[in-house]
């Protein structure tokens, strides 16, 4: 027998958990399919300095624990597993976690985004053996070692700065000759004596057998190859939205981000399905904006459920 609910929320980053908090406080008793890697991208972050309310900053995982506790306090229920399949063409909607089937009248998608990889065979072969996408998780393993970070955005610079706590030297390898990162982050990186830059360079191969020994680089201007000895590579080149589960059902843009066709609303292309956070936001991608749109999604879901009930009651009475 399927479990029938008013609202299912898929995802448990700032968007999913804020949606859960608002929905729980509206007595919708939401089920949050939180994923095996619950908590979203902030679980892979160290200090969060730009989330309002924490003047001294807070660790990403600690912030997400607080989000979860707060939603749980009002009755949100958590399923610590990935959703395997959804059916958004039926009513109520279906969501499956293994053999368990959830049916809900409204659904909020808050599955976020995931780290992008370079796509090299050697990179995946050495992932977890010197190649990482998470400085907070793995920085500790690179004490007193030279390492490289690839990318030129805020993520790359933030990771590089964090990694200087451990590494002897951190080289930022960037494919252009200027960073995309915000000015304040750039200034911090340029002022850090442990950080060096390898401009106009791409990683062509991660060299090593069971561990990283060096990187084969190519100069994007001169085409000259070079090799750089490092013992770790952190890939920080952006993110892709986690929308595979919804392919063929919800409309998406060319990069796979969910389309929200109604301005100022979290409504997706299917009535009753709402989206919050990075899964539908390629622009801002901040914890605070994700929390904001998660709140909007829950409020819109609640209003939609109310309107649906009202319409059904009116139809039954006539
Ligand atoms: P991003 O801004 O999209 O930057 C990605 C970087 O990786 C760019 O420099 C890009 O190069 C490079 N890149 C992309 N694909 C590549 C490839 N295949 N090979 C080599 N290099 C590649 O991504 P992000 O740094 O993850 O930041 C995402 C958003 O989150 C931004 O809005 C950022 O401000 C925000 N953010 C904020 C903070 C903070 O405020 N503390 C921390 C992290 C992220 P090009 O520059 O040449 O395109």
């Amino acid at each position: 027998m399927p479990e029938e609910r008013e609202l299912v929320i898929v995802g448990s980053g700032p968007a999913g958990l804020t949606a859960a908090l608002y929905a729980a406080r509206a007595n919708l008793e939401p089920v949050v399919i939180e994923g095996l890697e619950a908590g979203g991208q902030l679980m892979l972050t160290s200090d969060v300095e730009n989330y309002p309310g924490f003047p001294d900053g807070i660790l990403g995982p600690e912030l997400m624990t607080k989000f979860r506790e707060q939603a749980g306090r009002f009755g949100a229920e958590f399923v610590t597993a990935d959703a395997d399949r959804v059916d958004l063409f039926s009513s109520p909607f279906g969501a499956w976690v293994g053999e368990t089937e959830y049916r809900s009248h409204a659904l909020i998608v808050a599955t976020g985004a995931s780290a992008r990889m370079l796509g090299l065979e050697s990179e995946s072969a050495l992932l977890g053996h010197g190649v990482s996408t998470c400085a907070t998780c793995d920085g500790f393993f690179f004490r007193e070692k030279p390492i490289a970070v690839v990318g030129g955005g805020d993520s790359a610079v933030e990771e590089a700065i964090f990694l200087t706590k451990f590494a002897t030297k951190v080289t930022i390898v960037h494919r252009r000759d200027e960073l995309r990162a915000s000015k304040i982050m750039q200034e911090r990186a340029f002022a850090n004596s442990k950080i060096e830059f390898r401009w106009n360079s791409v990683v062509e191969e991660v060299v090593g057998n069971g561990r990283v020994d060096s990187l084969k680089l190519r100069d994007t201007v001169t085409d000259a190859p070079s090799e750089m000895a490092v013992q770790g590579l952190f890939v920080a080149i952006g993110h892709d939205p986690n929308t595979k589960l919804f392919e063929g059902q919800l409309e998406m843009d060319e990069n796979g981000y969910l389309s929200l066709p109604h301005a100022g609303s979290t409504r997706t292309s299917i009535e009753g399905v709402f989206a919050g956070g990075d899964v539908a936001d390629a622009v801002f991608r901040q914890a605070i904006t994700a929390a904001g749109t998660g709140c909007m999604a829950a409020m819109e879901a609640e209003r939609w459920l109310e309107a649906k009930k009202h319409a059904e009651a009116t139809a039954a009475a006539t």
Side-chain angles (χ1 to χ4, degrees):
M1 281 294 284
E3 288 209 27
E4 195 158 327
R5 298 292 178 130
E6 290 280 285
L7 175 67
V8 162
I9 298 167
V10 188
S12 59
L17 294 178
T18 303
L21 168 65
Y22 273 74
R25 294 191 77 250
N27 283 336
L28 295 179
E29 298 176 346
V31 166
V32 183
I33 302 176
E34 65 177 350
L36 282 173
E37 290 164 29
Q41 292 172 72
L42 282 190
M43 298 301 281
L44 311 177
T45 311
S46 52
D47 298 313
V48 179
E49 293 180 340
N50 53 9
Y51 199 88
F54 299 91
D56 301 323
I58 183 166
L59 294 174
E62 197 184 335
L63 181 60
M64 294 326 296
T65 303
K66 286 180 184 290
F67 268 61
R68 195 177 185 278
E69 274 174 17
Q70 197 171 351
R73 190 181 138 207
F74 297 101
E77 197 181 307
F78 297 97
V79 179
T80 310
D82 291 333
D84 303 309
R85 187 162 71 87
V86 294
D87 175 8
L88 305 179
F89 293 135
S90 64
S91 177
F93 304 124
W96 284 261
V97 175
E99 294 300 301
T100 310
E101 176 182 349
Y102 294 91
R103 288 277 161 191
S104 68
H105 299 281
L107 189 136
I108 293 175
V109 181
T111 45
S114 296
R116 204 178 283 157
M117 303 298 292
L118 296 171
L120 305 169
E121 225 171 82
S122 52
E123 173 195 43
S124 38
L126 290 167
L127 191 63
H129 300 279
V131 175
S132 169
T133 58
C134 176
T136 319
C137 317
D138 300 329
F140 188 75
F141 302 122
F142 296 89
R143 272 169 303 167
E144 302 303 317
K145 292 177 178 172
I147 55 180
V149 175
V150 62
D154 277 327
S155 296
V157 171
E158 190 176 64
E159 300 242 320
I161 292 169
F162 177 74
L163 288 165
T164 59
K165 291 183 191 174
F166 309 99
T168 48
K169 185 173 85 171
V170 180
T171 305
I172 295 181
V173 178
H174 185 35
R175 62 186 178 183
R176 295 187 294 129
D177 64 357
E178 62 177 344
L179 295 172
R180 177 181 295 277
S182 55
K183 284 283 169 266
I184 184 166
M185 297 295 278
Q186 291 198 26
E187 280 165 18
R188 284 185 199 170
F190 292 140
N192 191 317
S193 60
K194 274 190 169 182
I195 296 181
E196 289 183 6
F197 294 87
R198 186 70 76 92
W199 302 111
N200 298 320
S201 297
V202 288
V203 178
E204 287 201 322
E205 191 185 334
V206 189
V207 183
N209 191 0
R211 60 166 208 202
V212 173
D213 292 323
S214 66
L215 303 178
K216 282 190 179 165
L217 304 175
R218 186 164 296 275
D219 190 300
T220 55
V221 177
T222 65
D223 209 32
S226 63
E227 194 152 345
M228 181 168 72
V230 288
Q231 290 178 42
L233 172 67
F234 286 80
V235 181
I237 59 170
H239 296 83
D240 289 315
N242 299 320
T243 47
K244 209 169 171 32
L245 192 63
F246 309 99
E247 273 173 10
Q249 300 191 59
L250 293 176
E251 276 175 23
M252 301 174 191
D253 70 11
E254 66 280 7
N255 296 316
Y257 285 88
L258 292 190
S259 302
L260 302 179
H262 310 279
S265 165
T266 62
R267 281 183 286 162
T268 66
S269 55
I270 293 182
E271 249 190 69
V273 180
F274 304 85
D278 289 13
V279 75
D281 173 19
V283 180
F284 300 106
R285 295 186 287 201
Q286 300 299 300
I288 186 69
T289 51
T293 51
C295 160
M296 286 167 65
M299 291 179 74
E300 290 196 282
E302 186 203 352
R303 286 172 193 166
W304 188 80
L305 286 164
E306 258 327 297
K308 188 168 175 270
K309 265 189 218 157
H310 183 71
E312 283 166 1
T314 310
T318 53

